[in-house]
Structure formats: C-alpha cells, structure tokens
Amino acid sequence: MTNSQVLISEVGPRDGLQSVKRTMPTADKRRWIDALYAAGVREIEVASFVPARLLPQMADAAELVRHALTLPGLIVMALVPNRRGAEAALAAGVHKLTVPVSASAAHSLVNVRKTREAMVEEVRAIAALRRGIAPHVKLEAGISTAFGCTLQGVVPEDEVIRLAAHCIAAGADESGLSDTVGYANPAQVRRLFRRLRFEIGRHAGAAHMHNTRGLGLANCLAAYEAGVRTFDSSLGGLGGCPYAPGASGNVVTEDLVFMFEAMGLSTGIDLDKLIAARAPLMAGLPDEPLYGMTPEAGLPRGFVQGARLAPPATPLPEAGKTGATGATGDTPLPYAGIRVVEFTHMVMGPTCGMLLGDLGAEVIKVEPVEGDETRRLLGSGAGFFPTFNRNKKSIALDLKQPEGVAAALRLIATADIVSENFKPGTMKKLGLDYERLSKLNRRLIYVSHKGFLPGPYEHRTALDEVVQMMGGLAYMTGRSGDPLRAGTSVNDIMGGMFGAIGAMAALRQRELTGEGAEVQAALFENNVFLVAQHMMQFAATGHAAAPMPSRISAWGIYDVFTVKDGEQIFLAVVSDRQWAAFCKAFGLDALLAEPRLNTNNDRVMAREWMMPVLRSHLAGRSAAGLSAVFEANELPFAPIARPEALFDDPHLNATGGLAPVRMNDGSESKVPLLPFTLGGRRPGIRLQPPLLGEHTRELLLEVGYTIAEIAELRSSQITRGD
C-alpha cells in the first residue's frame, strides 16, 4: 500500500473491458492507463490472461503489461484463471496475480468451467509456480459471488469464509471478497469482512463492489468500517460479469475517490485528472455508456482535496450523543476495526474494554437480561458503570439458556478479542472458554481477568481489598499496626489495564504468527508488581520498608503542612537547588547557611529538629499564598483536594481532560478521560455508556438473525432491549 490511507485499485482495463463487446484499440488502452497513472492511481489491473479466442478484448494482455511496467511505482496486476494464464502473466512481468474463485458453485462452473475445489487446487498450482520462478510476485484469490449469485441465489457465508481460508492455505497471499452481481448490503458486507479478518487476519484482501442496485458506495463504506483499506473500482463504472445475469456496473472510481477524499481520507489520486482520464476511454469506446455522479455534477464549490475539517471554535457536545470526535480527528484510532466481545462486570474487566474502546475498538458488552449489577450499585459503587463502560455497545442475553449461548457464539465468530472476568470455571460451564473457542478460531485472542494467575491460589475468591491486604499494599498505606486499603480500586483498574496491554501484545503477535493467544491478568500479581519497589528496597538495604506514614522519607522536605485557618498543603523540596530557592523565597538565610543542612541527605537526618522550625515559620501563611510562592520558584506543591472538587479543576477543564457522560439515571455529569494524548488530543467518548440491550437488535441482525427470530428470542426472555 502507498502512503495513502486508502488504496484504490483500478480494474477497468480488465474487469471493465471484459464485458464490452467492442474491442478497444491497444493504443487507446495504453493512453487510458497513462491517464490513470497521471491522476495518481498506483495499482491497475491491466488485463486478463485468457485465450484470445474466448475473449478477444484481452489478446493484447502481455503488450499492456509491458507498457504499464514502464510507469515508475505502478503495481501492475493481471487476472489469471489457471496455471497456464499465470505462466504467461509471470513471463510478461506482472507484480500481482489475481485468481477468481467463485463462492457460488453454479457460477464457478459457468465462469471457469471448474468446481470450487478445483479452483483451490489451481491456486495451489499457481502458488507453487510463483514460488519457483517469481517469489516476489503477490498472489490474491478473489472470492467472487461472495454475497450472493443470480444463478444460485443465496451463498452460505460459512462457505465463503471457508473458501477464502482454503485459498490462503493453498498459498495465496491475500483473499478479498467480490460482490460480483450487486447482491450485497452494508450489514452483510460489514459482517462478512469482519469474519474474513477474524479467520485469515492480515491475509484479508480488497473489497470489490458492484453498483447494480445502487448500494456500491454504501457497501464500500461498510467495508472500510470493517477494516478494509483496498478497494477495486472501475473508471466510469465500466464493466460487470458476463457470466452473471443481471450484473452490471462496478463501483465508479471517480465517486469512490470523491467519497473518501470528502471524508478526509487520502487516496493519493487527483480528482480533476481522474475525471480527465475518461477522455481516452471514451475515445477508444465512443459508444460505450459511462456512469458516475461526480463527473456529472462536478466537484463542490470550495472543495479542496485532502483538506481536513477545521476543529470547531468550541468543543462539540458529547454527553448523551454518539459520534464524538476521537483522539486524532480524521486519523483513525489505533484499534479501529478491532471487535471485542466482553463478558465482564464490576471494574477490572470493564476497564480493559473501556481502554480498548477509547482507542477505537468496537466493544460489545454482553450483559445478562437483568443488566450488569453495577447499573444498580449504591455507595462507593454508584459511579462504576458510567466510569468504565463508555465507548461500548450493549446486548442482553440469557447465557443460562442454550439459545443465549448460541447468539453469543455468533457474536464471538465476528470478534478479534473475547474478554471475561467471571470466577474460574464459569466460562467453561457455558462452553465459552478459551479451549473451546480457540478450536473454532485459532486467531482468537482471549483475555481472562482473575484474582490470581494459575497456581496454589487460583481458586480463591479475590477482591481488590483482599489482594491489597495479602500483597503488602494495605500495610504500606496505613499507619503501623493499622493496615489500610488504598483510596481507589487500584488493582481492579490496573489489572484491567494490564489485560488491555496483554491484548495489544497478542494482536501484534498475531500479525507475526497468524495465531491468537490466551491472555491472563490477575489482581494479586498486579498488586505485587505495585509494591515491587518496597520489596526491592529490602533487597537493596536489608531493612524492611516502613509503612508510608512512618517511613523515613528519601527527601528532606516532603510533607503535608497545616497552615493559616487550618488549611493543609503538601510541600516538597527534593534537591539542593530547590533548597536554596526555598530558603531565599521564605527568608530562611540562616538555615541555608547551616552546615548541618547542606545536602538532601543531611536534611533527611536533621528532620527531627528541622521540620518543627519550618512548620512554625510557615504556619501563619495561607495555602493560596504558599502555592503562589512555590509555583513562582518552580517548587513542587499540591493543595489537598477532595475528588468532587476535581470537576471544577481549571486545568482538567481547560485541557479537555473531562468529558460529558450519561449517568445511570439519565442525568449528565463529567468523567475523566484516559491520561494521555494521541496526536495532541485525548481519546474521547464516541459512544455514551449504553442502555441495557441498547444494541441488541442491531447486533443480532448483523450476525444473521431475522426480525422474526429476534422477536421470538425477546418473547422467550432470552434477550432484551432494542
């Protein structure tokens, strides 16, 4: 792929011309290819290597390949239906071979006079030939009639995916899906490409869409949303399959390029020059009708190709609405196109899904029909659901019923990642454990969030507080003899983060190996990682770490001070330079000159007599006054804030660190976003925390349920929601 965000592969000189009765002169074909190249098109399928007696239009295939090879940087493609055609194409010097493999059994027999199984063997033979004489040449198996066939009717989706996988196993580098007869719809396109990516990963190839029923662009957009970045199209919408009755009209290249460029996605193609490339086509085929709304209507007034929309003067409202801008504006978020199906509740598992969702993944939360319990918690759990469940969709399923499990399995078949945080054994009882699911799909990444990693403790029930007590954190937080849990769900949140990091690592590993993996994250091991610094302090010094309230600080001044009107403020002086600045700012010249306080270590040893002097000296000053002096002298300080005060923190509000969020009762609040930026922006809220079952109908339709079947599931209380 080029530096463009989307690669448009022009197939008009092959797929377009193969349906035209009149033979286009070779000289005009050359001029047409030159014009496409001048417009910025960098991948062209220039011909088909078939017998001239069968398709006279392609008699000049080798000559056109040789001409196209003179254009620097152009990827020259050709279609080959068999090994003999591949031999001729490789001899001509093509960069990439495309083999048509029909998903429809009926279409395969008419189109290439071979069964689908025989065509897989042709792919195998061509792959072996390619390896022997031109290993640098790419080989794609294009699965035609993938969305239906006028000769056969419905083509089972399982057969489509299985056929693509067999082609990859036979040696193809890529396998794309073609809507040969214009039967596809956006939901089907999205579903099939997700399944394709799930099955063959990085080997998933281009989308080849037809516009027979006017859905060509909508289907291309659906494919883009499913992660496709290479699209076949034909200038002027030329072409269609001659062996598929009723098929006409490839997606129009001009309209496709305009759509993506208008969306702010670069294709590398100049639209004005692309439209001008119709001239040599019309000269060579003067009576052939061409299509396309963009050439007819022209470009919009003020349209600047590749321009990005300027950010609004004021932030767009996000609460209660979907579609909020992401972290990097028009740049896709890093995990866009990744689908996560999560079976999680409380904090740890939902944190993992939230993090992946904030970074662009589509996260589907499978809830029981009564909903995640955190929707109803009171007290310290009242904010759990809106905090950890943004950027997710909700489907409600009764997993105690086989019909509910069957629906979950259909969803999982479209997923890259499954995430769960139920007690050990629960997912196995449901038949949704890694051992079973990995046999169904070797590319699946399965994230389990548990109390303990496998070992002597693995069957214990764990909570954040449990592992804080047994893992040394409560001891370090409280005063001596009074262990105290940290003031937030430290291990739950960080355990979910480590689960997400593990999922990210497994995705990268899958790119390298083609295999999925099981990822396990655990509260206890997370807690031990947090207190490692205190373990290593003992290893380094031979002295056990004292609890934080009674520890010997590493710094001379590193304390909370009570000052005027009983206010409190944290003040720190952690270097000799800062000590000098501190003494000068507060008139402590005598202390600065005191030899017993020359270095930080001296001041640590002198804390017993030094700190009372400092506390007395600063006691009459206000917290605001001390803050101003410390800030002016670049010294560390912090007012003692309560959590509720952070809603009005000027820094958080000025920097976009808080985003509007919908609460459980439908009211609006603000919630902190992830604590980092991508491209200068914080990853934002695209989807508000979902209502229970808000996306049930949408998701079930997408995985093949009919409206009647969904109604039956709802009436049987197997599912719930819209």
Side-chain angles (χ1 to χ4, degrees):
M1 189 167 175
T2 67
N3 290 331
S4 303
Q5 294 168 285
V6 173
L7 176 63
I8 306 298
S9 181
E10 174 62 46
V11 298
R14 193 279 302 175
D15 191 22
L17 292 183
Q18 74 174 11
S19 304
V20 177
K21 293 181 180 180
R22 176 173 177 172
T23 299
M24 185 176 183
T26 301
D28 288 318
K29 291 181 184 178
R30 287 198 298 263
R31 281 190 285 271
W32 184 23
I33 292 170
D34 290 345
L36 291 167
Y37 178 80
V41 177
R42 288 299 177 265
E43 184 168 291
I44 303 177
E45 192 172 50
V46 300
S48 177
F49 281 82
V50 296
R53 59 184 172 78
L54 297 178
L55 199 56
Q57 184 75 261
M58 299 296 155
D60 55 0
E63 183 179 349
L64 290 175
V65 168
R66 287 192 291 269
H67 172 74
L69 290 172
T70 66
L71 303 173
L74 178 66
I75 298 172
V76 182
M77 299 172 57
L79 181 137
V80 294
N82 49 39
R83 190 181 189 279
R84 181 175 297 178
E87 288 175 347
L90 292 172
V94 297
H95 300 130
K96 186 175 182 179
L97 300 171
T98 302
V99 182
V101 182
S102 297
S104 160
H107 182 262
S108 185
L109 292 173
V110 172
N111 191 35
V112 292
R113 300 182 181 88
K114 293 178 181 176
T115 65
R116 296 173 297 179
E117 293 74 18
M119 284 306 299
V120 172
E121 291 309 309
E122 285 287 354
V123 171
R124 194 182 311 279
I126 293 169
L129 173 70
R130 181 270 309 258
R131 282 195 301 272
I133 63 175
H136 61 283
V137 172
K138 297 298 182 183
L139 175 59
E140 179 176 17
I143 308 300
S144 55
T145 60
F147 301 91
C149 176
T150 51
L151 297 172
Q152 176 177 312
V154 174
V155 177
E157 293 183 2
D158 288 349
E159 294 183 15
V160 175
I161 302 303
R162 186 162 50 247
L163 190 61
H166 287 168
C167 288
I168 297 302
D173 300 304
E174 297 177 0
S175 188
L177 302 180
S178 299
D179 180 26
T180 313
V181 295
Y183 269 29
N185 64 72
Q188 184 188 23
V189 169
R190 194 178 293 111
R191 179 172 66 248
L192 258 182
F193 270 106
R194 280 175 174 155
R195 289 192 62 184
L196 184 72
R197 292 181 65 251
F198 184 80
E199 180 65 29
I200 64 175
R202 61 185 176 84
H203 299 289
H208 183 116
M209 297 296 157
H210 279 223
N211 200 41
T212 304
R213 290 170 177 80
L215 292 179
L217 288 181
N219 288 333
C220 286
L221 182 58
Y224 178 83
E225 291 171 346
V228 178
R229 294 298 180 266
T230 301
F231 298 84
D232 296 350
S233 61
S234 180
L235 196 79
L238 192 67
C241 179
Y243 302 111
S248 63
N250 285 292
V251 167
V252 178
T253 302
E254 302 93 302
D255 291 341
L256 185 63
V257 171
F258 174 74
M259 180 184 78
F260 282 126
E261 292 286 345
M263 291 169 59
L265 296 169
S266 172
T267 64
I269 297 173
D270 186 298
L271 270 166
D272 289 321
K273 292 181 179 179
L274 184 66
I275 294 170
R278 292 163 70 100
L281 173 58
M282 290 186 288
L285 296 173
D287 300 323
E288 191 67 28
L290 299 183
Y291 305 95
M293 304 303 293
T294 301
E296 182 178 335
L299 299 178
R301 183 185 297 274
F303 177 77
V304 178
Q305 191 167 339
R308 301 292 184 264
L309 294 176
T314 56
L316 293 173
E318 296 181 271
K321 304 176 180 64
T322 62
T325 54
T328 54
D330 297 318
T331 302
L333 287 163
Y335 292 99
I338 295 296
R339 172 172 274 195
V340 180
V341 176
E342 68 168 33
F343 301 84
T344 69
H345 59 130
M346 294 299 176
V347 176
M348 188 182 185
T351 297
C352 175
M354 179 199 70
L355 197 150
L356 294 170
D358 281 10
L359 294 177
E362 180 191 24
V363 181
I364 298 169
K365 184 178 183 69
V366 180
E367 300 189 59
V369 290
E370 64 272 15
D372 185 332
E373 188 179 349
T374 58
R375 292 181 180 274
R376 301 178 294 276
L377 288 181
L378 302 176
S380 61
F384 283 179
F385 193 85
T387 302
F388 303 111
N389 288 284
R390 62 177 179 254
N391 289 329
K392 298 181 184 180
K393 297 178 178 179
S394 169
I395 180 172
L397 295 173
D398 184 355
L399 298 179
K400 298 175 183 177
Q401 304 299 324
E403 297 88 347
V405 173
L409 284 169
R410 286 208 203 180
L411 272 178
I412 290 169
T414 69
D416 297 280
I417 299 170
V418 167
S419 175
E420 63 89 16
N421 71 327
F422 285 97
K423 67 180 181 180
T426 298
M427 296 298 278
K428 188 175 182 67
K429 289 179 182 177
L430 295 172
L432 300 175
D433 56 304
Y434 176 68
E435 183 178 4
R436 180 188 179 194
L437 297 181
S438 63
K439 291 177 181 176
L440 300 177
N441 185 359
R442 62 184 178 81
R443 293 179 52 79
L444 180 66
I445 292 163
Y446 193 97
V447 185
S448 287
H449 301 86
K450 301 301 181 186
F452 305 90
L453 292 180
Y457 299 162
E458 65 181 295
H459 296 296
R460 290 189 187 181
T461 299
L463 300 169
D464 202 315
E465 198 148 341
V466 168
V467 300
Q468 287 195 38
M469 295 293 174
M470 67 185 295
L473 184 58
Y475 172 82
M476 290 302 302
T477 303
R479 299 183 185 280
S480 183
D482 185 20
L484 180 68
R485 69 157 284 164
T488 186
S489 303
V490 178
N491 290 295
D492 280 319
I493 295 170
M494 290 195 67
M497 291 171 60
F498 280 118
I501 292 169
M504 296 171 187
L507 284 170
R508 174 56 180 152
Q509 187 177 63
R510 191 177 73 176
E511 290 179 7
L512 300 174
T513 67
E515 300 286 339
E518 183 179 18
V519 174
Q520 296 187 20
L523 293 174
F524 178 62
E525 282 76 8
N526 177 82
N527 186 95
V528 173
F529 185 79
L530 289 174
V531 300
Q533 65 190 83
H534 304 305
M535 296 168 62
M536 300 313 290
Q537 177 185 342
F538 176 77
T541 67
H543 299 289
M548 296 298 280
S550 58
R551 76 195 185 286
I552 298 176
S553 174
W555 317 110
I557 302 172
Y558 203 74
D559 286 87
V560 174
F561 287 74
T562 301
V563 293
K564 187 177 181 181
D565 298 327
E567 290 184 289
Q568 291 186 308
I569 185 171
F570 173 80
L571 303 175
V573 177
V574 298
S575 70
D576 295 339
R577 183 199 64 79
Q578 289 184 4
W579 171 246
F582 169 75
C583 290
K584 291 175 182 177
F586 290 100
L588 295 169
D589 294 339
L591 288 183
L592 181 59
E594 171 59 61
R596 293 177 295 172
L597 302 176
N598 278 346
T599 69
N600 176 72
N601 286 348
D602 291 334
R603 293 187 290 276
V604 169
M605 300 304 296
R607 280 175 57 83
E608 186 174 351
W609 66 265
M610 177 188 71
M611 289 305 297
V613 174
L614 297 180
R615 292 186 189 283
S616 175
H617 187 77
L618 300 178
R621 294 176 177 263
S622 68
L626 287 168
S627 297
V629 175
F630 265 65
E631 186 163 14
N633 287 274
E634 300 180 350
L635 298 172
F637 73 97
I640 310 302
R642 295 187 177 188
E644 64 270 20
L646 298 177
F647 286 118
D648 298 316
D649 185 274
H651 178 82
L652 292 176
N653 284 284
T655 59
L658 302 175
V661 69
R662 180 174 61 207
M663 301 296 287
N664 293 342
D665 62 1
S667 63
E668 182 181 296
S669 183
K670 291 185 287 188
V671 69
L673 297 176
L674 293 182
F676 58 82
T677 63
L678 283 174
R681 293 189 183 180
R682 302 278 282 271
I685 298 180
R686 305 184 317 282
L687 292 173
Q688 289 294 328
L691 304 175
L692 174 59
E694 182 178 345
H695 306 91
T696 295
R697 184 174 183 272
E698 165 196 330
L699 292 167
L700 290 178
L701 285 171
E702 186 179 322
V703 295
Y705 283 88
T706 65
I707 292 175
E709 288 171 331
I710 295 171
E712 175 61 27
L713 290 174
R714 187 181 292 116
S715 66
S716 302
Q717 298 185 333
I718 303 297
T719 188
R720 176 178 174 180
D722 295 333

